[in-house]
Amino acid sequence: MDRRLTKRVASWREPALHRTLSAVEEAAEGSKLWCGAAVVMVWIGGRDGRKAAVAGLTALALAQLVSNGVCKQVSGRSRPPKEWIPHDEVEDRPDSSSFPSGHTAAAVAFTAAVAPSWPAAGTVCAVPAALVAVERVQSGAHYPSDVAAGAALGLVSAWLVRRLPQQALRRLP
């Protein structure tokens, strides 16, 4: 299934789609997109915006720490074979382990952590987060299962960031 989906998504040839996905991936590289979104939230969102930005960036940091600092170090999964990817973007992919997608983990973590504090911002962030996930497969950087695992890791990170402070406050005398 991973092989078939990877080949199918990587073979999409629509130029506008390639440009859009490449632009989103470039913006998401190094978490620039999510840091920029957090700045906008702080600037225009008042208390809800500040709360959303802090939750989003904290969840993003946790997701990146676990995905890139732990999971990639122990999994050692190779990237999809170059011959499956019919375009030159395959030459730009990283050498690190394919599992899980750290880009997807960060995008989903940020979006899922933002949404409870400011649902409108969460909805807006969901669009580029989904595009990041698709781009990771389309570019040949990841298998769909890597992206799914990254998304799950992002959701867990957001849940932990939202729940742990509440649990800690409940335990105070």
Side-chain angles (χ1 to χ4, degrees), residues 11-98:
S11 69
W12 292 346
R13 302 234 182 238
E14 177 61 40
L17 178 66
H18 275 276
R19 283 191 303 275
T20 301
L21 293 176
S22 292
V24 169
E25 191 279 330
E26 179 64 32
E29 189 67 35
S31 300
K32 295 179 294 216
L33 176 62
W34 313 117
C35 291
V39 167
V40 170
M41 288 176 203
V42 167
W43 184 39
I44 68 170
R47 184 177 186 280
D48 287 346
R50 290 187 298 276
K51 187 175 176 184
V54 168
L57 292 175
T58 304
L60 178 148
L62 177 61
Q64 286 189 327
L65 176 68
V66 173
S67 66
N68 298 329
V70 178
C71 295
K72 283 185 183 285
Q73 304 306 314
V74 298
S75 73
R77 184 178 193 188
S78 57
R79 305 277 173 173
K82 288 184 179 185
E83 56 271 7
W84 292 4
I85 315 303
H87 49 75
D88 61 356
E89 290 175 40
V90 72
E91 300 302 327
D92 295 334
R93 63 191 186 169
D95 294 329
S96 61
S97 173
S98 182

Side-chain angles (χ1 to χ4, degrees), residues 102-129:
H103 282 79
T104 304
V108 171
F110 183 84
T111 302
V114 161
S117 294
W118 196 2
T123 301
V124 170
C125 289
V127 174

Side-chain angles (χ1 to χ4, degrees), residues 130-151:
L131 291 173
V132 165
V134 170
E135 188 280 334
R136 302 314 290 158
V137 177
Q138 195 279 326
S139 68
H142 291 283
Y143 295 97
S145 59
D146 301 333
V147 170

